[in-house]
């Protein structure tokens, strides 16, 4: 049986770039994209054209849902509109996968989480870092007690210029009234969710600073945050859009072309304990213990975004809970809100 999927607010860059959810769906057997929606009709039409056409296009997502009657929904779009969309999908009984942060702030995400639980709805959140080679290895070692007492976790994700948002139809990401933040709001959820997942505990923010200095936009392009788990595991999160990415032509980004950005980032992850240190950097895992050291590749062999969507669809069809649910997203977004608050207090 073919699963009929509709996508909401495709101005989000993950519609066609980075995670490229819609491109992944096009490659899936027994899955059909039947509708695309965006408030901007030009964006909706352009997105459909990039996928080869033949997909119905709408500017009102409610009208789209009534017209195409999808089995499943991919919900993207502006952070300021996410919670409203999520509530409507739950009220209509439609299962969906929604990009983080799922709302403008933690208060909105918590309300969405509570409704999801009350209605027994299916609402999945893509957190692909959980399935990275590093997090899987670290989680397994923690379960086996191979780290001994955990000391600290370090996470750095420094992506290329936020000019990509403008080029990829997502200029709203640079408008605080629609995004409610920059690098920390966008990337922080991945780091905080991984920290919570690995420690298995609640956590609090103990220090934070943000900067708009590098790119001079209205949202942060770099953030450094200190976090502490309930039992005392320390964490450091660094996120930014200050990676000096160059275009395929070899020069800095200067124009509106959507296809001049390539994959790339300055990233590093570490989990350290008394008995072991696990590190991930430049596509390699490195494990150091008191009497040995080993390395292994950490580059994924399959597309993480494809796997996230496929797993969400599998769990929905099987009647299982999502791998990452709205409450998981809420816990991460709550820490993001706290970090912004601490940074502003000391800024």
């Amino acid at each position: 049986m073919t699963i009929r999927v509709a996508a909401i607010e495709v101005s989000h860059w993950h519609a066609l770039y980075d995670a490229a959810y819609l491109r992944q769906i096009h490659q899936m057997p027994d899955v059909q994209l039947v509708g695309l929606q965006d408030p901007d009709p030009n964006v909706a039409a352009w997105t459909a054209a990039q996928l080869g056409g033949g997909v119905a296009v709408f500017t009102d997502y409610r009208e789209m849902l009534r017209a195409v009657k999808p089995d499943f929904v991919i919900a993207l779009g502006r952070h300021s509109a996410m919670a409203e969309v999520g509530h409507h999908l739950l009220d209509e009984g439609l299962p969906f996968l929604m990009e983080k942060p799922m709302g403008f702030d933690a208060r909105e995400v918590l309300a969405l989480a509570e409704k999801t639980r009350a209605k027994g709805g299916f609402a999945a959140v893509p957190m692909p870092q959980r399935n990275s080679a590093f997090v899987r290895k670290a989680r397994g070692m923690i379960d086996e007690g191979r780290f001994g007492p955990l000391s600290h976790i370090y996470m750095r994700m420094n992506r290329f210029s936020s000019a990509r948002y403008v080029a990829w139809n997502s200029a709203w990401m640079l408008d605080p009234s629609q995004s409610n933040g920059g690098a920390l709001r966008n990337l922080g959820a991945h780091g905080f969710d991984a920290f919570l997942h690995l420690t298995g505990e609640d956590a609090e923010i103990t220090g934070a600073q943000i900067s708009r200095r590098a790119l001079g936009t209205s949202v942060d392009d770099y953030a450094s945050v200190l976090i502490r788990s309930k039992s005392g595991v320390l964490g450091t999160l660094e996120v930014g859009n200050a990676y000096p990415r160059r275009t395929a032509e070899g020069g800095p980004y200067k124009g509106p072309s959507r296809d001049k950005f390539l994959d790339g980032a300055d990233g590093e992850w570490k989990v350290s304990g008394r008995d072991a240190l696990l590190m991930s950097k430049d596509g390699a895992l490195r494990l150091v213990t008191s009497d040995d050291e080993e390395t292994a590749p950490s580059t994924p062999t399959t597309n993480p975004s494809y796997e996230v969507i496929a797993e969400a669809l599998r769990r929905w069809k099987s009647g299982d809970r999502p791998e990452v649910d709205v409450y998981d997203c809420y816990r991460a977004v709550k820490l993001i809100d706290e970090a912004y608050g601490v940074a502003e207090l000391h800024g």
Side-chain angles (χ1 to χ4, degrees):
M1 175 182 173
T2 299
I3 301 172
R4 304 173 76 255
V5 175
I8 293 176
E9 291 228 4
V10 296
S11 68
H12 195 291
W13 64 98
H14 279 328
L16 295 177
Y17 299 98
D18 280 352
Y21 295 122
L22 304 187
R23 298 189 193 277
Q24 310 309 326
I25 289 171
H26 252 311
Q27 300 175 28
M28 292 182 171
D30 301 323
V31 179
Q32 180 185 6
L33 190 62
V34 295
L36 298 178
Q37 177 273 335
D38 196 83
D40 186 331
N42 294 323
V43 170
W46 182 86
T47 302
Q50 301 309 299
L51 297 168
V55 181
V57 172
F58 299 83
T59 55
D60 185 312
Y61 70 85
R62 293 176 179 85
E63 179 186 350
M64 176 183 70
L65 298 176
R66 289 192 297 267
V68 305
K69 296 179 173 56
D71 302 312
F72 195 91
V73 174
I74 303 294
L76 304 170
R78 299 158 295 156
H79 302 166
S80 58
M82 283 180 159
E84 175 193 302
V85 170
H87 282 289
H88 183 78
L89 294 173
L90 289 169
D91 290 340
E92 294 297 311
L94 285 166
F96 63 96
L97 178 146
M98 178 176 279
E99 178 61 24
K100 46 72 181 162
M102 301 194 82
F104 195 70
D105 55 25
R107 177 186 56 84
E108 288 193 348
V109 183
L110 177 59
L112 200 58
E114 290 172 342
K115 178 179 278 191
T116 303
R117 182 166 294 179
K119 286 183 169 287
F122 185 95
V125 191
M127 293 289 187
Q129 288 293 345
R130 285 201 187 193
N131 292 314
S132 67
F134 172 79
V135 172
R136 289 199 313 270
K137 178 74 171 179
R139 183 68 259 177
M141 290 179 62
I142 290 170
D143 291 342
E144 295 167 2
R146 294 175 61 190
F147 283 105
L150 283 181
S151 169
H152 61 273
I153 298 174
Y154 175 77
M155 303 152 286
R156 183 175 73 251
M157 294 168 281
N158 188 20
R159 299 298 310 281
F160 45 96
S161 170
S162 57
R164 71 187 189 274
Y165 297 131
V166 179
W168 292 348
N169 294 325
S170 307
W172 56 263
M173 187 63 199
L174 303 183
D175 178 356
S177 70
Q178 298 189 71
S179 65
N180 199 21
L184 180 57
R185 181 67 59 185
N186 177 36
L187 298 171
H190 292 301
F192 288 144
D193 178 71
F195 184 89
L196 296 169
H197 176 64
L198 290 173
T199 62
E201 301 176 335
D202 288 333
E204 63 177 346
I205 302 301
T206 58
Q209 53 187 354
I210 62 174
S211 174
R212 303 175 184 88
R213 183 180 175 88
L215 302 179
T217 69
S218 298
V219 297
D220 50 290
D221 52 54
Y222 176 80
S224 176
V225 183
L226 300 178
I227 183 173
R228 182 186 182 98
S229 79
K230 187 175 181 179
S231 70
V233 180
L234 304 183
T236 301
L237 172 71
E238 293 182 63
V239 290
N241 291 319
Y243 185 67
R245 194 59 187 160
R246 304 186 74 81
T247 67
E249 288 79 12
Y253 174 77
K254 294 180 180 178
S257 171
R258 297 176 172 88
D259 301 310
K260 290 188 176 182
F261 294 101
L262 307 176
D263 289 335
D266 166 33
E268 186 173 7
W269 296 69
K270 299 178 186 178
V271 174
S272 180
R274 180 194 62 201
D275 302 329
L277 169 63
L278 180 66
M279 297 168 278
S280 177
K281 186 178 180 182
D282 297 333
L285 283 177
R286 181 183 173 204
L287 175 61
V288 179
T289 62
S290 59
D291 56 4
D292 196 13
E293 182 172 332
E294 60 184 66
T295 60
S298 64
T299 303
T301 56
T302 58
N303 187 295
S305 299
Y306 184 101
E307 296 301 325
V308 163
I309 298 172
E311 180 65 9
L313 292 174
R314 185 195 69 77
R315 285 172 176 262
W316 161 64
K317 289 171 62 179
S318 301
D320 297 330
R321 293 179 62 253
E323 181 178 19
V324 182
D325 65 17
V326 191
Y327 270 104
D328 294 320
C329 187
Y330 161 70
R331 294 174 72 210
V333 174
K334 180 173 180 287
L335 291 172
I336 292 172
D337 286 1
E338 291 177 8
Y340 275 116
V342 170
E344 291 169 3
L345 182 66
H346 297 289

